[in-house]
Amino acid sequence: RRNLLQILISFRFCSLYLNKHKPWIETSYHGVITENMDTVLLDPPLVALDKDAPVPYAGEICAFKIYGQDAPFEAVVLNHTSGEGVLRASSPVDCESQKEYTFIIQAYDCGAGPSGNDWKKSHKAVVHIQVDDVNEFSPVFREPLYKASVTEGKIYDSILQVEAWDQDCSPQYSQICNYEIVTTGTPFAIDRNGNIRNTERLSYDKQQSYKIMVTAFDCGQKRAKEDVAVHIDVKPVCKPGWQGWNKRVDYEPGTGSKQLFPKMHLETCDGPLSGVRVMVELQTSHIGKGCDRETYSEKSLQKLCGAASGSTDLLPAPSLSTNWTLSLLTDSGRDSDLIYRFDGHQAANVPDHVVPQNLTDQFTIATWMKHGPSPGLRAEKETLLCNSDKTEMNRHHYSLYVHNCRLVLLLRRDFTQVDTFRPAEFHWKLEQICDKEWHYYVINVEFPAVTLFVDGVTYEPYLVTDDWPIHTSKIDTQLTVGACWQGQCVYLYTVTEMLATPRFTQYFHGSLSGLTIRPGRIETQKVISCLQACKEGLDINSLESLAKDIKFHFNPAQSVLVVEGEDVDSINTAMTKVSYINSRQFPTPGLRRLHITTTVQCFGEDTCLLIPDIKAVVMVLPPSEPRITIAGSNRLVRPAGDLRGPLGVAPFKELHITSTVMKGDTHRPGVMEVMHNLDYCDILVIGEELNPERESLEIHHSALLGKHLDATNSTSGISIYGVDSMAHYEQALRQVRYRNWQPATLTDRKFRLTCSELNGRYTSNEFNMEVTFKCFIHCISTLLQPPLIVCFPSSPAGAAPPAATVVIVVCIAALVVIVVIGVYRIHATHQEGTREDEEEVREPEVDWENSALTITVNPMEVMRPQVLEVKEEHEEEEEEDEEQVGEMIGAESDNTDEDEEEEEEEEVKEREQKGTPEWDSSSITY
């Protein structure tokens, strides 16, 4: 029994420490770990089982071992009895470095005993671990800048694609889920793939480039740290047309010719062309009479152009002498052009003394006219000029009118001239008559031939109708402008009652200027061209540099230029030579419109490219306005006797006319004297008008010879007019003479002088001149020759006034005293005997002053036989008439002061040689 017990105990002990079974684990594990974390979530959980359980050690799990290269994990047994374990990261796990790990794991039991010997290990299990990502990185664009270009006018599905990326390892955080355009208000959009497109058609002219900013978002909605710039350039589509031109060209007056399009070229998009035609039009209809012309008066222009004299201006400027145009509407706000506007209610009767009475087979009618289509459905005649019966009847002798855009000249001959059926109406149908533009019309009549000139171009009548001559009568005629005078009592078809009052009819609608008639002569082509010539227009510089295939021509006014050629380069060169020129010294400032039309021909086709028209402007800058200055002595003092002379006095003999303009900029201003023409100078009498019975202000015709000047005078002054230089005006004004043959009635005369350039556009200062004259009484007696020159004031009625009578009596009394003294001295000298002169003294001048009647006489030292002759001469002078004495004084006063002094010296020398007695230095006053 004891042995059996020992055997059982030994068996149990052996069985207790006997490790019969291996641990058991799953064959594979899948785990997930979040990067930067250390715990791995395994599926299934890490648990090892051993069948030796619950035997100590043999049934317990002591370790898990991992086999794999660089696997940053470790397995830890949490409970030896249950075999539970955990898988942990032994070092930080980074998804961006490695997303997955695969390794082998085995479980180990605790062996057969406490010593751990005879341990057993499980089979190998595969562990797959996935590293979960954390959104730690922001999207980054692959390019620092994106560029693209588009052609204007197109809609693109994708202009370019931007691309961003993310360093995160997971699809959720590494993928870009959205792009966005940060810049607002741009015509672009972007999709989730980064494709940029335009949302509207782009225009190169509107904007040539765009700069937009774009950002990106990953699928975790993390935004890019830095936005990216995208540059999109807009390229112009190849459009046929002109390029390189400016819409505005500034023109400074006085600079001559200026190129309008120095960098202009025609883009044809490489099309095969056979010819190009370009028309450049300068539109100046808004300026004055259609372009920048001289604004002098019609008479002055006719003189400048060499027209024959004798024309009658039917629309002169309103004045006292030309008052028939006072009631007409004027439009003179355009650079001083005198324009009359007729709205269908105004007309004027030309006075009979103005109307040419000698219209023969040759005469000329000329006018500027601006006319549009006639108002109303039924167009009526619109009369420019009409000569009709003044009373009783209603016959039109001659007239010029517009009817249905036709210009008609009516010319009815008298029976005294011809008694057969003759041409009476001449019709012209022209577009210019109703185009609302200014044109210059000249009708030359060489009966029966009539020729019309419009802007210098000749037109023959398309229709001539005949009529019987007008029967002779004693009825006076009336010449009217703007309508026709109807002097007969007529019945109206729409009104039953009779109109008994003469009236105007056939009113004109339009504008007229410079309406003239020249009887007896016709105007030449040269003069007509000069009168209507523009001072501004188009020009071509360097004609020799143009290609041989280039053809060009201007219209007569040089406002339209046509250039034709086969080669585009030649056309481009020609267009760079096109320039604007204005030859006026003081042009009208403002804009001039330019219109360019282009026609392109291709081989075998009429037109293959449509070239857009060009509209530009030439801005004529304001000229430096001249300052006309009249200077000189403004006071002239002359003895009254000078005014009685045949030449009178010249008030403006020391006159000077200058003109200056401001030159330079604001920093360096300066004044420069310029020479230009004047067109009139007026001398106005200030105060009481001239009395033709005793005074005159005139200029001799010889002073105007060789100059383009005329003069008119009246009791209110004198006017010198005509376009001529300032020097010629200065010469003429210096020869204006003022005479007064009864100066006692006045003490002075005041005049005001003003001059003008460009019909009053620039005027001078008002130069005031005062002519002062007094009536001096000279009683100078030398007793050797007639020394006594007496000026007797005269009265207009022939009767001497009381003051004049007193002066005469005093003068005679003084003369008697002098004679008595002379006789006394002769007697005294005879008693003493004759002797030689001891001292020579020149004869001083002795004047009578207005304040006192004083005579200063030197006693004679030597008497010669001439004393008796002197006495007789004095007695004769007492009997002379007052006017003869005044004329003698006036004749002597015509000489200059220097001449008078020389004459006095010569007279003194002659008297000394002849034994003329001398005055002693002492004097006796009576």
Side-chain angles (χ1 to χ4, degrees), residues 21-38:
H21 299 92
K22 298 178 180 180
W24 178 90
I25 60 176
E26 297 288 344
T27 58
S28 64
Y29 291 90
H30 292 277
V32 176
I33 185 173
T34 302
E35 62 177 346
N36 300 326
M37 303 294 287
D38 59 356

Side-chain angles (χ1 to χ4, degrees), residues 210-229:
Y210 294 86
K211 180 181 179 181
I212 60 177
M213 302 301 293
V214 177
T215 191
F217 296 88
D218 60 18
C219 294
Q221 291 303 307
K222 195 175 186 70
R223 179 174 172 170
K225 188 175 182 179
E226 293 183 359
D227 301 335
V228 70

Side-chain angles (χ1 to χ4, degrees), residues 260-261 278-282 538 559-563 575 578 594-597:
L260 296 174
F261 315 107
V278 185
M279 183 173 70
V280 184
E281 183 180 3
L282 181 68
L538 300 173
S559 60
V560 178
L561 168 64
V562 178
V563 181
M575 289 302 293
V578 177
L594 287 169
H595 187 205
I596 301 178
T597 55

Side-chain angles (χ1 to χ4, degrees), residues 578-592:
V578 177
S579 59
Y580 168 82
I581 188 171
N582 195 319
S583 59
R584 286 190 69 183
Q585 190 174 14
F586 307 108
T588 305
L591 60 86
R592 277 78 164 154

Side-chain angles (χ1 to χ4, degrees), residues 307-309 360 362-365 444-445 518-524:
S309 60
T360 61
Q362 284 190 344
F363 63 92
T364 298
I365 300 177
N444 276 345
V445 177
R518 175 179 285 106
R521 297 188 62 175
I522 62 173
E523 206 61 272
T524 63

Side-chain angles (χ1 to χ4, degrees), residues 842 896-906:
R842 292 194 176 187
T896 62
D897 296 341
E898 296 178 357
D899 295 337
E900 291 175 357
E901 291 176 2
E902 293 177 357
E903 290 177 0
E904 291 175 358
E905 292 177 0
E906 293 176 359

